[in-house]
Amino acid sequence: MAALPKLKRTDQAAFDAFSIKRRRLADKLASIVITFGGIAIILSILAILVFITLEVYPLWKGAKAELAGRFDLSKSLVISSKSVNPTSVSDFPILALGIDEYRQIGFVITENGLVDFISLKDGKAIKQIPLGKIEGKKITSALGSLDNEEYTLGTDDGYILPVDIKFNVSFNDNDERIIEPEVVEGEPIKVDALPLTHVAFNALDDDLKGVAAVTSDGRLIFLSQLTTSSLVGEEKKEELKYDLTPELKGRIVTAIALDQFLDNLYVGTRKGELYHWDIRDKANPRLQEVIDATGNPEIAITDLGFIIGDRSLIVGDGSGNVSTWFQVEDNTSPIGRRLKKAHALAQHNGLVTAVAASPRDRGLLSADSKGVIILDYSTSERKLLELEGEGYPIKALAFAPKADGAVAVDERGTLYNWSIDNPHPGVNLKALFGKVWYEGYSKPEYVWQSTGGTDDFEPKFSLTPLAYGTFKGTFYALVFAIPLAVLGAICVSQFMHPSLRNLIKPVIEIMAALPTVVLGFLAGLWMAPLIEKILPAVFLIPAVLTVMTLSAVFLWRLMPKSVRGRFKEGSELFLLLPIFIFGIQICLWLNLPIENLLFGGDYKASIFNTFGLQYDQRNALIVGFAMGFAVIPIIFTISEDALSNVPKHLISGSLALGATRWQTAIKVVLPTASAGIFSAIMIGFGRVVGETMIVLMATGNTPIMDWSIFNGFRALSANIAVEIPEAPHGGTLYRVLFLAALLLFLVTFLVNTAAEIVRIRLRKKYQQL
């Protein structure tokens, strides 16, 4: 074959120049693509951070209020009350007021037995309905419910009248809402012959009703009505009436409250004492306790009320203090519980004249003698708003049924109508990260419980037990993973033949490809029941394998060199496999004898009786094994790379100076590769902190704070996965979950930043070797 002609020098130079240009162009394109990719990743991360932050931000915006209307009721009520010709509001003092759910119509109940409905747009009277069943009588006291529907009226001749205020809604042909007010009167109940100055009424159903009232001469009366039906349909009414005045010992009653369950009667006095009667047995009301609620006999209790659910009592006093109380377990009490002051709320500058609880959450309004109204949230003790009138004492106060507004009337007959925007009242730093005294708990605690089965449920949004669970799972997973991964990397990189290393390392790396949902499934449904049966053997395995491994190594060293030389460097480690299998089998054989010998045949009962530790099948031990297995490939791979990249001259120099391979690995290779190993551990840490499916499937998802390895936990990531599908968009739970995501993001960022700083310092320290 003829030889190819040689290129001329000019042609060769042109070809070389073209090749250089092509390489430069390729390098430039690669640089552009890599730079663009890096910038895109950074922008994506920043975009995620911005999105999460925007979702969290509304939690901290606080409440807002706007005065939607101010009306002089003396003018409005005169127009609608021509029959009595009043000249001012003092002719028909307002005892109660309310508002419909659309905040279009307000109403007041006056002393002369009239219910006046007023437009909240212009303050004009819409309708007036007289109470026919107490016609000609004077109303001396009134009490309303949270929903602005049920009212109890006391009269000057000793009767109480239950009244329901209803609003019938319809739409006309133009789709305009038409609201028609209606008053439904119940049957009057005779309590006494004298006027009633304070009243409280509740009915569990049509069969049981309870009434508490204070007469004009200071007597406290409790009355109950029980209706029973016979098999033939005959109804029998039984009425029980008790005068509780002697137990007051001359104290003057200033406020009363009767819960909706008809279990508890609370009475406040002028001396600041709070009396509590247990009325579960209607035939035998018992004075349970007397509490000095104000701490000063000169300061009276001025008003009582209930937070939604009627388990937390609101107490307002003459010095402007507002607090909430509820019953907690107490073994010293005859009934096993006592009333305790749980929350002290924002203080007024004047005496408290009225309180009103929110019908939607744990919020409450309190008003004082200087015309100031404060909106508080009981659980978090957070002051949300302060509304100001015209400086005159507030006489009556009510929340809107949707908790999006409030109405109040001062002593001059001025009606105030506020619109309130309060989307996240229960969130502050204390509620999220501090101990909070929740209703029914014996003391302040960290609790996460986002939902409940009733409308009066008290949300508990403490992120502390979730963060605790996250770090608990991380700790046990890394305790399992770090020794195995790092020591395995040292063994593979320093003591194993390259051909074996090239086989083993890819196998371990493939482990990282296993889906975590599969690992969680296996851990929760297979590993957890298995370990529950053989727990003593599980704790025995490390000790037995350590002893057998050291014994095998000692025997191996006694073998002749001619025998040891037949094995590739590092392949002798495979001889440990049958020893490991045999050692594990020995532990399994010893499981039952050890449980019988050391734990009396039941290790669960033994550790509970001895250490107070409860064993849950899905616990931190299971999660440690499963998450440790998931993170071992990451730590191993990066550590092995760091160890293998230690300069060979360092290893050769150490061996030449007489050091053994083990001494070289520990004192030369390991310190030199420490920066990479530290990075591996931190990457593994970040992987474990963000793990979701294993934690979700292998633990009981119980948000408790206990370092016991036998208990479960709930991590931040798993909590997000569990709760977010059911969280209403834009609601408090929804945004708190995004806050949890932001915390995970920040923790990972800070840990990685700190790890990078440490890695750089370690690298500088050993780069001169």
Side-chain angles (χ1 to χ4, degrees), residues 20 72 82 241 277 605:
I20 293 173
D72 187 353
K82 294 181 180 179
K241 182 177 178 181
W277 273 272

Side-chain angles (χ1 to χ4, degrees), residues 63-74:
K64 295 185 295 183
E66 181 181 356
L67 184 62
R70 173 191 171 282
F71 312 109
D72 187 353
L73 292 186
S74 62

